[in-house]
Amino acid sequence: MTSTEPNPASILATFEGRDTVVFDLDGTLHGGGRDADPAGDSARVTGLRVRHLVGVDDPFGAFAAFDRMVRAARPGMSKPAALSAWFGIGLAEMNRFRETHETPEAHVRPHPGIDAALDVFGSRFRLVLATNNSPRLARRILRLLGIAEDRFAVVVAAEDAGAPKPAAAFFAHVVKAAGTSYDRCVSVGDGLVTDIEPARALGFATYHVRGPRDVVQAARVLRGMLQ
Ligand SMILES: [Mg+2]
């Protein structure tokens, strides 16, 4: 479904007959996604890393320049893929840089009701966390959100999968790690290009959210279905 106001019938149709829900983290389970918030911390740190490569000293300006380059390159290209292809900065190297420079403690705040929403999802589905963030930062963010890691059957970071979203290899890794199949999964995320389109192409159902508010809304609808 699209990012228009979700309606109960389409939410039910999306989740019906599926056994696994694959959640994106940033911009989905908490606000201020890395791509949705160009003034955010991860944008600053990406800019810090590429500023000498794009010739813009200010980290936010460098991020904006890099973002324009990625968008102009080809549809669906991810920033991690661009960092690797253009500058030879691999996922592991960038993640170690992020872990040193990002401060999720300064900006990540739990969204009201998100933990209870995951309770609802968890009562019916196997839950997977699937993120392009670094494995360590993802776990730091979960702690800040008050979400226990063991709520998820599997946590997959791009570095674990060997490829970032939107690569098909990322989703193949997710499905294999979760012990299910594409047509039994729902991908829930705020990124049309990273979470929704590639997953749909592989046979996932998809639920495109504008943020954690839509995750809470879907849980409300599903809770009604469970009663
Ligand atoms: Mg996201």
Side-chain angles (χ1 to χ4, degrees):
M1 64 185 299
T2 68
S3 61
T4 53
E5 194 64 37
N7 74 75
S10 71
I11 289 171
L12 289 177
T14 297
F15 288 90
E16 200 164 25
R18 310 278 168 161
D19 65 18
T20 302
V21 180
V22 180
F23 287 99
D24 170 51
L25 177 60
D26 302 308
T28 298
L29 297 183
H30 72 98
R34 40 206 311 120
D35 294 327
D37 178 17
D41 199 35
S42 93
R44 177 185 64 82
V45 173
T46 301
L48 204 58
R49 182 65 186 83
V50 302
R51 60 182 176 175
H52 67 290
L53 299 164
V54 300
V56 180
D57 194 50
D58 168 64
F60 290 110
F63 175 82
F66 176 57
D67 187 49
R68 280 193 299 274
M69 288 166 64
V70 173
R71 286 171 194 278
R74 62 177 163 84
M77 187 170 205
S78 68
K79 290 185 183 71
L83 286 170
S84 174
W86 298 344
F87 306 130
I89 303 169
L91 276 176
E93 181 190 339
M94 192 62 202
N95 280 342
R96 300 299 85 75
F97 188 82
R98 287 192 185 290
E99 287 155 9
T100 305
H101 292 91
E102 287 194 18
T103 53
E105 293 76 10
H107 63 89
V108 170
R109 300 287 178 268
H111 182 87
I114 199 70
D115 201 46
L118 290 175
D119 268 342
V120 174
F121 281 102
S123 69
R124 184 173 175 102
F125 303 101
R126 182 188 298 114
L127 306 187
V128 175
L129 186 71
T131 178
N132 273 356
N133 212 328
S134 100
R136 281 177 217 153
L137 280 171
R139 288 178 171 91
R140 264 164 74 184
I141 290 169
L142 284 181
R143 280 196 292 278
L144 291 167
L145 297 176
I147 297 172
E149 185 183 336
D150 63 8
R151 195 182 264 295
F152 300 97
V154 189
V155 174
V156 177
E159 195 177 334
D160 309 320
K165 299 183 255 187
F170 178 93
F171 294 94
H173 182 96
V174 164
V175 166
K176 190 174 176 198
T180 185
S181 57
Y182 294 120
D183 63 354
R184 304 283 286 165
C185 293
V186 184
S187 177
V188 176
D190 68 310
L192 200 57
V193 169
T194 47
D195 306 312
I196 302 303
E197 288 167 353
R200 188 184 292 151
L202 292 165
F204 283 61
T206 57
Y207 180 57
H208 186 205
V209 301
R210 294 161 296 185
R213 195 167 64 92
D214 286 346
V215 176
V216 171
Q217 164 67 7
R220 209 170 280 140
V221 171
L222 291 170
R223 190 175 54 216
M225 181 176 79
L226 293 171
Q227 284 166 352

